[in-house]
Amino acid sequence: MSDFLKQLNKDQLRAVTQINGPTMVIAGAGSGKTRVLTYRIAYLLSKGIDPFNILALTFTNKAAREMKERVINLIGDGDARNVWMGTFHSIFAKILRIEGHYLGYPSNYTIYDSNDSKRLIKNIISDMKLDTKQYSPSYVSSRISMAKSSLISTDEYANDSDIQSADESARKPYIKEIYSRYQSRLKRADAMDFDDLLFNTYILFSRFPKVLYKYQQKFKYTLVDEYQDTNHAQYLIVKKLAANTEQICVVGDDAQSIYGFRGANISNILNFKSDYPDFKMFKLEQNYRSTKTIVEAANQVITFNKEQIKKTVWTDNNTGNKIGYFKAQSDTEEGKMIADSIFEKKMNEQLSNDKFTILYRTNAQSRSIEEALRKKNIPYRIYSGQSFYTRKEIKDLLAYFRLVINNNDEDALQRIINTPARGIGKTTIEKIIVAADINNVNIWEVINNPAQYDLKVNSGIVLKLNNFSTMINSFCVVNKSKDAYETANHIAVSSGLLKMFREEDTPEAISRVENIEELLNGIKEFTEKAIEKSEGDMSVHKTLDEFMEDVALLTDADSDDDEDRDKVMMMTIHASKGLEFPHVYIVGLEENLFPSIQSITTRTELEEERRLFYVALTRAMETVTLSHAETRYRWGNFTITEPSRFLDEIEEGLIDKPKESLNLSNRESNFSKTQSDTGQHSFKKRNLMPLSNSGAEPTEDSDISELKSGADVEHAKFGRGKIISIEGSGPNMKATVFFNSVGNKNLLLRFAKLKIV
DNA sequence: AATCGGAAGGTTTTT
DNA sequence: CCTTCCGATT
């Protein structure tokens, strides 16, 4: 029956089959952590445990999805589907949809992402007539976030003398007031931010023992991945859930704790001992992923940290190559060296693109590398945070969806009430907000009954408001009966949003229309997938509400698409956690960048940076190449950099002699590059919906490839002109052209149909 | 009320 | 350098 257990080593086997009582698994990098978790779930099921009684919590959607897939592979679809597997945030969001009414939330509450919540905080700060410099929204928001993830309520925040004196000495005594207003505004909008999903779940379980009991009964077995990254709230919720049966298994690696900055607390691992004195601990120390060289280098680096649980990660794998080391003169050069190196290795060893991964500390570093890859025609894909969903046009359309789903969502309402322009201006909105505040009702309520709340606007405006609310209400009606795609499409068209961008005939607007179409395609896919899963049954259609629930907790790094394989992968080190790749490039190893300048003052923070480096190294299976640039374009000017201290922490025998860039003309090329770039941005086209995709496709249209800067061209609408510069490639190729009639224009070449004269 | 341009601020890292 | 926001202008 349990044939699959044969695939485990001794330690893994013990960790999997020890299913009675609290269990902690300390798993070194590459030692089969996910494997233990998935096999443990399979094992529980094989022992007759009801899948409905199992809860598995992860940090990222990606990890959750992978776990699901692997469990399905082991035991088949049927049982696996009934196990609750998901991120902390998504599982708790689900619970709050069901039980939120205990706390006064409707089941269709909106989830605000960090941008939404910063916007709200900013509004509050200006409402309070405070200086936004002194009270920068991001500072205030991180303060509030820290409080919430430590379960400190608004009242507790205001009454805690330590917190208050800290805020006062930081000259920000009003944060308590902002926090409190922020919470009531969220409540009024029937909205929760990310931290509320945890905070409110905790409150729910504390105040309503009956609800807690229900979920304790349901989740008899709890598994937690990446336990070292849990914050206080997550820790306590899990503890509450497991209090009854104590059938809890946590898996983690203190050496890979990299989320301290958002409240993760390594000591949760250490507390485990005192919370569950009769716990069993297993250490997984054999690494199956990397070469000896890589494992050794990683071990060496981590010894520079003082705080850690002792363990010895070792491997039976080959020694492998030494670690590569590039010393580039500039960031441009760094990109070039990496692109060249990938190209060479690819050709020599006949490797596909997807065998290569480039890791960096900050998202901003991707640009110079991207350019180099594009020049070499190497396709790549960036797994970046949220860029797709933070685009204006996407946010706008999503705001319509949000408002339709939750009429009280004030942030969404304010975003779109005049987009596209419908004559409801700033002054009017101002008046509505004041009326709402005075009467302590929601903005939506005021818009629907302007007279009742004594809104002092002329009859023309009243008519416009009326038209707006009629429109939204009609969308709500559509949403009740149609599936997600039909509703979304209807809204995109009837709201006039699509038309607005279509009429504006600029390359920028064209790309916005494309992005909207991508979003709609994504929703279509989402809808069809559900129908497909239910074997063509059209009646079980997915609603827009369900789509939005998915989106709120999704980042585009989470998505994966079959058509999008075989590309070099690029991502931040944080995003790479839990993944493995054959050939890894870790770039920008410079002081003040990696380790980050914000983290070199305290030991704790520096050690977190070092763990980050440890994570980066241990992603690699076969080779690692490190690089640094001696000069780097930052904030628009050259900075001379120093090699990262982390480079010295790897013993000389394990690392190659630095390979230096020889191109002396690089400074020049750097200058010319910046000049031609002035004032332009390339619009990265995203392909299928939840996917961030910046592919460098070979140019298909031979006409286009003949266009060069300096060429005289003719355009159907603008007439004669001269090409000033060209950038991008494939479908993204665009040019700046000076036309005698209208001056400079940015054109997407694929649409512009330029003729060479 | 809408549009355009300039100024200012922003880079950690993510759910 | 790039993006966003604000204010001045029409």
Side-chain angles (χ1 to χ4, degrees), chain A residues 358-370:
Chain A
I358 300 164
L359 301 179
Y360 34 78
R361 179 65 179 79
T362 65
N363 281 305
Q365 285 165 261
S366 70
R367 188 170 305 114
S368 55
I369 317 262
E370 276 182 75

PDB file of all heavy atoms in Angstrom, chain A residues 358-370:
ATOM      1  N   ILE A 358      18.712  33.944 -13.532  1.00  0.00           N
ATOM      2  CA  ILE A 358      19.473  35.082 -13.035  1.00  0.00           C
ATOM      3  C   ILE A 358      18.768  35.628 -11.798  1.00  0.00           C
ATOM      4  O   ILE A 358      17.569  35.913 -11.835  1.00  0.00           O
ATOM      5  CB  ILE A 358      19.576  36.169 -14.122  1.00  0.00           C
ATOM      6  CG1 ILE A 358      20.277  35.588 -15.353  1.00  0.00           C
ATOM      7  CG2 ILE A 358      20.338  37.379 -13.587  1.00  0.00           C
ATOM      8  CD1 ILE A 358      20.097  36.420 -16.591  1.00  0.00           C
ATOM      9  N   LEU A 359      19.517  35.712 -10.714  1.00  0.00           N
ATOM     10  CA  LEU A 359      18.935  36.179  -9.454  1.00  0.00           C
ATOM     11  C   LEU A 359      19.538  37.522  -9.061  1.00  0.00           C
ATOM     12  O   LEU A 359      20.724  37.742  -9.224  1.00  0.00           O
ATOM     13  CB  LEU A 359      19.203  35.171  -8.338  1.00  0.00           C
ATOM     14  CG  LEU A 359      18.673  33.754  -8.541  1.00  0.00           C
ATOM     15  CD1 LEU A 359      19.055  32.877  -7.356  1.00  0.00           C
ATOM     16  CD2 LEU A 359      17.162  33.762  -8.717  1.00  0.00           C
ATOM     17  N   TYR A 360      18.712  38.416  -8.546  1.00  0.00           N
ATOM     18  CA  TYR A 360      19.220  39.708  -8.103  1.00  0.00           C
ATOM     19  C   TYR A 360      18.538  40.129  -6.811  1.00  0.00           C
ATOM     20  O   TYR A 360      17.517  39.586  -6.409  1.00  0.00           O
ATOM     21  CB  TYR A 360      19.015  40.776  -9.182  1.00  0.00           C
ATOM     22  CG  TYR A 360      17.759  40.599 -10.002  1.00  0.00           C
ATOM     23  CD1 TYR A 360      16.527  40.974  -9.496  1.00  0.00           C
ATOM     24  CD2 TYR A 360      17.804  40.023 -11.278  1.00  0.00           C
ATOM     25  CE1 TYR A 360      15.381  40.798 -10.241  1.00  0.00           C
ATOM     26  CE2 TYR A 360      16.655  39.844 -12.025  1.00  0.00           C
ATOM     27  CZ  TYR A 360      15.441  40.239 -11.506  1.00  0.00           C
ATOM     28  OH  TYR A 360      14.295  40.059 -12.230  1.00  0.00           O
ATOM     29  N   ARG A 361      19.160  41.132  -6.170  1.00  0.00           N
ATOM     30  CA  ARG A 361      18.662  41.582  -4.882  1.00  0.00           C
ATOM     31  C   ARG A 361      17.417  42.456  -5.039  1.00  0.00           C
ATOM     32  O   ARG A 361      16.492  42.385  -4.276  1.00  0.00           O
ATOM     33  CB  ARG A 361      19.777  42.356  -4.162  1.00  0.00           C
ATOM     34  CG  ARG A 361      19.410  42.928  -2.792  1.00  0.00           C
ATOM     35  CD  ARG A 361      19.121  41.802  -1.832  1.00  0.00           C
ATOM     36  NE  ARG A 361      18.780  42.253  -0.491  1.00  0.00           N
ATOM     37  CZ  ARG A 361      17.597  42.704  -0.146  1.00  0.00           C
ATOM     38  NH1 ARG A 361      16.647  42.794  -1.026  1.00  0.00           N
ATOM     39  NH2 ARG A 361      17.354  43.074   1.092  1.00  0.00           N
ATOM     40  N   THR A 362      17.461  43.355  -6.015  1.00  0.00           N
ATOM     41  CA  THR A 362      16.328  44.270  -6.196  1.00  0.00           C
ATOM     42  C   THR A 362      15.813  44.183  -7.628  1.00  0.00           C
ATOM     43  O   THR A 362      16.573  43.946  -8.561  1.00  0.00           O
ATOM     44  CB  THR A 362      16.732  45.734  -5.944  1.00  0.00           C
ATOM     45  OG1 THR A 362      17.669  46.127  -6.946  1.00  0.00           O
ATOM     46  CG2 THR A 362      17.333  45.930  -4.578  1.00  0.00           C
ATOM     47  N   ASN A 363      14.539  44.410  -7.785  1.00  0.00           N
ATOM     48  CA  ASN A 363      13.927  44.335  -9.107  1.00  0.00           C
ATOM     49  C   ASN A 363      14.569  45.284 -10.112  1.00  0.00           C
ATOM     50  O   ASN A 363      14.658  44.979 -11.293  1.00  0.00           O
ATOM     51  CB  ASN A 363      12.436  44.657  -9.015  1.00  0.00           C
ATOM     52  CG  ASN A 363      11.657  43.461  -8.499  1.00  0.00           C
ATOM     53  OD1 ASN A 363      11.750  42.383  -9.053  1.00  0.00           O
ATOM     54  ND2 ASN A 363      10.909  43.665  -7.427  1.00  0.00           N
ATOM     55  N   ALA A 364      15.021  46.437  -9.608  1.00  0.00           N
ATOM     56  CA  ALA A 364      15.562  47.453 -10.510  1.00  0.00           C
ATOM     57  C   ALA A 364      16.782  46.953 -11.282  1.00  0.00           C
ATOM     58  O   ALA A 364      17.112  47.474 -12.338  1.00  0.00           O
ATOM     59  CB  ALA A 364      15.920  48.701  -9.718  1.00  0.00           C
ATOM     60  N   GLN A 365      17.445  45.943 -10.747  1.00  0.00           N
ATOM     61  CA  GLN A 365      18.650  45.457 -11.413  1.00  0.00           C
ATOM     62  C   GLN A 365      18.366  44.711 -12.708  1.00  0.00           C
ATOM     63  O   GLN A 365      19.279  44.459 -13.493  1.00  0.00           O
ATOM     64  CB  GLN A 365      19.417  44.503 -10.476  1.00  0.00           C
ATOM     65  CG  GLN A 365      20.155  45.181  -9.374  1.00  0.00           C
ATOM     66  CD  GLN A 365      20.576  44.186  -8.313  1.00  0.00           C
ATOM     67  OE1 GLN A 365      19.946  44.039  -7.284  1.00  0.00           O
ATOM     68  NE2 GLN A 365      21.656  43.457  -8.577  1.00  0.00           N
ATOM     69  N   SER A 366      17.132  44.355 -12.934  1.00  0.00           N
ATOM     70  CA  SER A 366      16.859  43.505 -14.087  1.00  0.00           C
ATOM     71  C   SER A 366      17.100  44.231 -15.409  1.00  0.00           C
ATOM     72  O   SER A 366      17.424  43.613 -16.404  1.00  0.00           O
ATOM     73  CB  SER A 366      15.431  42.985 -14.040  1.00  0.00           C
ATOM     74  OG  SER A 366      14.522  44.038 -14.289  1.00  0.00           O
ATOM     75  N   ARG A 367      16.961  45.550 -15.418  1.00  0.00           N
ATOM     76  CA  ARG A 367      16.934  46.254 -16.700  1.00  0.00           C
ATOM     77  C   ARG A 367      18.193  46.058 -17.542  1.00  0.00           C
ATOM     78  O   ARG A 367      18.129  45.705 -18.713  1.00  0.00           O
ATOM     79  CB  ARG A 367      16.670  47.738 -16.503  1.00  0.00           C
ATOM     80  CG  ARG A 367      16.436  48.442 -17.841  1.00  0.00           C
ATOM     81  CD  ARG A 367      15.931  49.838 -17.675  1.00  0.00           C
ATOM     82  NE  ARG A 367      14.734  49.876 -16.865  1.00  0.00           N
ATOM     83  CZ  ARG A 367      14.644  50.435 -15.679  1.00  0.00           C
ATOM     84  NH1 ARG A 367      15.693  51.010 -15.155  1.00  0.00           N
ATOM     85  NH2 ARG A 367      13.525  50.423 -15.021  1.00  0.00           N
ATOM     86  N   SER A 368      19.347  46.288 -16.919  1.00  0.00           N
ATOM     87  CA  SER A 368      20.579  46.197 -17.701  1.00  0.00           C
ATOM     88  C   SER A 368      20.793  44.779 -18.224  1.00  0.00           C
ATOM     89  O   SER A 368      21.317  44.577 -19.312  1.00  0.00           O
ATOM     90  CB  SER A 368      21.768  46.641 -16.851  1.00  0.00           C
ATOM     91  OG  SER A 368      21.814  45.901 -15.668  1.00  0.00           O
ATOM     92  N   ILE A 369      20.387  43.806 -17.439  1.00  0.00           N
ATOM     93  CA  ILE A 369      20.530  42.423 -17.878  1.00  0.00           C
ATOM     94  C   ILE A 369      19.570  42.142 -19.036  1.00  0.00           C
ATOM     95  O   ILE A 369      19.933  41.516 -20.028  1.00  0.00           O
ATOM     96  CB  ILE A 369      20.210  41.453 -16.732  1.00  0.00           C
ATOM     97  CG1 ILE A 369      20.829  41.924 -15.436  1.00  0.00           C
ATOM     98  CG2 ILE A 369      20.570  40.038 -17.104  1.00  0.00           C
ATOM     99  CD1 ILE A 369      22.107  41.318 -15.055  1.00  0.00           C
ATOM    100  N   GLU A 370      18.354  42.644 -18.881  1.00  0.00           N
ATOM    101  CA  GLU A 370      17.361  42.454 -19.937  1.00  0.00           C
ATOM    102  C   GLU A 370      17.887  42.961 -21.269  1.00  0.00           C
ATOM    103  O   GLU A 370      17.761  42.304 -22.300  1.00  0.00           O
ATOM    104  CB  GLU A 370      16.094  43.244 -19.616  1.00  0.00           C
ATOM    105  CG  GLU A 370      15.141  42.558 -18.699  1.00  0.00           C
ATOM    106  CD  GLU A 370      13.915  43.428 -18.493  1.00  0.00           C
ATOM    107  OE1 GLU A 370      13.088  43.498 -19.417  1.00  0.00           O
ATOM    108  OE2 GLU A 370      13.800  44.059 -17.431  1.00  0.00           O
TER     109      GLU A 370
END
